[in-house]
Amino acid sequence: MRSMTRSLAAALALTALAYGPAAAQTTYKCVNRSGVTYSQVPCPGGKELGSGARKATDKSVPPPQDRATVARRSTLTAEERQECRSLEVKMRDQQAQLKALGSGASLQDEMPLVHNKKRYREIGC
């Protein structure tokens, strides 16, 4: 029963550490003869659990999708991987040119981009 109470106290302390106002302070886990205690002041042999510094993530940045591309291209030959990279550059430039033309772009202006996209899919980039 006593160890269960200690476990519950430890869980509550860690929860308070993570979510409460104490999250801005460093907490130490102190182990002594009477058991485990948590404190904001350092103790002999105490272990620092966390500081108030929280990780900030930028949610506006999309996650990297490189792993899927690498996995897809792992079965391709070196020449095909190089062709994929060059097609990506060409298609990016062609899309920028089409965007610059705006609504004045004709079918003839779009055809090189269409052919490069087709080749990109055929290779399996």
Side-chain angles (χ1 to χ4, degrees):
M1 180 76 170
R2 190 173 195 194
S3 65
M4 192 167 100
T5 305
R6 284 187 200 150
S7 298
L8 181 59
L12 289 173
L14 288 175
T15 303
L17 177 81
Y19 297 108
Q25 300 173 351
T26 302
T27 304
Y28 299 90
K29 179 179 180 181
C30 305
V31 180
N32 53 32
R33 290 181 187 176
S34 61
V36 177
T37 59
Y38 296 90
S39 174
Q40 280 77 33
V41 292
C43 54
K47 179 180 175 187
E48 185 176 327
L49 292 180
S51 62
R54 292 184 180 224
K55 281 186 172 180
T57 57
D58 189 358
K59 293 181 181 179
S60 64
V61 176
Q65 299 296 319
D66 297 341
R67 290 185 302 165
T69 303
V70 169
R72 240 187 354 265
R73 292 183 183 175
S74 65
T75 59
L76 301 177
T77 64
E79 294 83 24
E80 289 172 330
R81 284 193 292 270
Q82 179 59 37
E83 187 176 358
C84 287
R85 287 189 291 271
S86 68
L87 283 171
E88 286 173 345
V89 172
K90 285 180 189 177
M91 289 188 302
R92 194 176 312 125
D93 292 342
Q94 290 167 343
Q95 286 172 340
Q97 289 171 354
L98 286 174
K99 188 175 182 179
L101 291 174
S103 61
S106 67
L107 184 61
Q108 296 302 323
D109 295 330
E110 292 182 24
M111 286 312 291
L113 178 60
V114 170
H115 289 298
N116 286 334
K117 284 184 176 183
K118 180 181 176 188
R119 178 66 184 150
Y120 191 82
R121 282 190 310 270
E122 287 172 352
I123 295 172
C125 297

